[in-house]
């Protein structure tokens, strides 16, 4: 009997898209899992166990082997820089990482940038040769330029609605974001059959939708 595959799933907006993809791939995740507040969900009929983690923590659980595989956005991959093996671009939760500011922004003396992604932002501005002070926030990043905390932000843009409703503009796109399937390096060897067969199923759905 194959060992249970521990899958770290990100709670929140990616979860719905990821579980829909699993279902399309012929893995019938019961509907009640979507609404559950349980954090560890055994799925014995699929040979899996879901671990519902905060998205930013998924690569940490996978790197340490607390989960064999996980689903994580490219934004988190770039920011956390964890030692995990990227298996598949799932093509879901598509958006981009961008520099955003007020429409009348001009380079000035105060060069503060607020973001949930301090590593990504620091690296980007270093590469651009711009000296900035990066301020870490945990959410509602768009507030920062509106109330004078920073002159620009680095954040995700999906539909652009948050920008528009707050009178901000996208200045540069830094990279495209989609969700990735990642694996712990040891699990990838030890549970290769199970992981590979999941990848094959998911890949079929992804290729069909391209
Ligand atoms: C994210 C991101 C933007 C918004 C972009 O925030 O930080 O604020 O979504 O999406 P849009 O382009 O479709 O408007 P999230 O909703 O995750 O909440 P947060 O403010 O807590 O980061």
């Amino acid at each position: 009997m194959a060992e249970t595959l521990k899958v770290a799933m990100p709670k929140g907006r990616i979860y719905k898209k990821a579980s829909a993809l699993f279902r399309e791939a012929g893995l019938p995740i019961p509907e009640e899992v979507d609404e559950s507040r349980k954090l560890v969900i055994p799925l014995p009929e699929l040979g899996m166990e879901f671990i519902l983690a905060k998205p930013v923590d998924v690569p940490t659980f996978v790197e340490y082997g607390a989960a064999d595989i996980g689903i994580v956005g490219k934004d988190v991959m770039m920011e956390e820089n964890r030692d995990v093996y990227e298996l598949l671009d799932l093509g879901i939760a598509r958006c981009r990482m961008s520099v955003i500011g007020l429409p009348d922004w001009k380079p000035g003396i105060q060069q503060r940038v607020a973001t949930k992604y301090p590593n990504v932002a620091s690296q980007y501005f270093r590469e651009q040769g711009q000296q900035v002070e990066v301020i870490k926030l945990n959410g509602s990043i768009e507030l920062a330029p509106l109330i004078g905390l920073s002159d620009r932000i680095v954040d995700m843009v999906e539909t652009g609605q948050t920008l528009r409703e707050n009178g901000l503009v996208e200045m540069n796109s830094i990279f495209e974001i989609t969700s990735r399937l990642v694996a712990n390096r040891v699990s990838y060897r030890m549970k290769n059959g199970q992981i590979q067969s999941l990848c094959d199923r998911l890949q079929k759905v992804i290729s069909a939708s391209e």
Side-chain angles (χ1 to χ4, degrees), residues 26-135:
L27 300 158
I29 299 157
E31 297 287 338
E32 59 263 29
V33 175
D34 297 5
E35 308 303 327
S36 170
R37 305 286 291 177
K38 270 183 82 167
L39 299 174
V40 178
I41 300 178
L43 299 164
E45 56 293 337
L46 303 181
M48 290 181 186
E49 179 177 271
F50 273 7
I51 294 148
L52 294 180
K54 226 178 139 168
V56 69
D57 293 331
V58 165
T60 309
F61 286 119
V62 174
E63 181 184 285
Y64 285 92
D68 298 308
I69 59 171
I71 291 179
V72 59
K74 191 67 183 172
D75 53 326
V76 172
M77 289 283 280
M78 299 293 275
E79 179 62 24
E80 293 293 306
N81 203 17
R82 291 280 172 186
D83 182 21
V84 294
Y85 182 32
E86 191 176 319
L87 297 171
L88 214 53
D89 181 348
L90 300 174
I92 55 170
R94 198 173 284 277
C95 55
R96 56 195 180 271
M97 185 70 73
S98 294
V99 182
I100 294 154
L102 291 164
D104 59 358
W105 180 82
K106 285 186 192 65
I109 303 160
Q110 189 226 51
Q111 286 274 10
R112 291 202 202 127
V113 174
T115 187
K116 248 193 305 200
Y117 303 93
N119 294 328
V120 166
S122 301
Q123 188 185 339
Y124 173 75
F125 287 109
R126 206 168 37 245
E127 285 168 5
Q128 298 296 308
Q130 295 185 37
Q131 276 209 334
V132 302
E133 182 185 352
V134 173
I135 302 171

Side-chain angles (χ1 to χ4, degrees), residues 129-143:
Q130 295 185 37
Q131 276 209 334
V132 302
E133 182 185 352
V134 173
I135 302 171
K136 163 91 197 267
L137 292 178
N138 295 296
S140 302
I141 315 299
E142 289 82 359
L143 261 180

Side-chain angles (χ1 to χ4, degrees), residues 13 95-96 100 116-117 138-142 153-164 166:
R13 64 164 88 188
C95 55
R96 56 195 180 271
I100 294 154
K116 248 193 305 200
Y117 303 93
N138 295 296
S140 302
I141 315 299
E142 289 82 359
I153 63 173
V154 166
D155 201 13
M156 269 169 37
V157 179
E158 189 177 1
T159 62
Q161 188 182 349
T162 312
L163 294 186
R164 284 192 295 279
N166 291 289

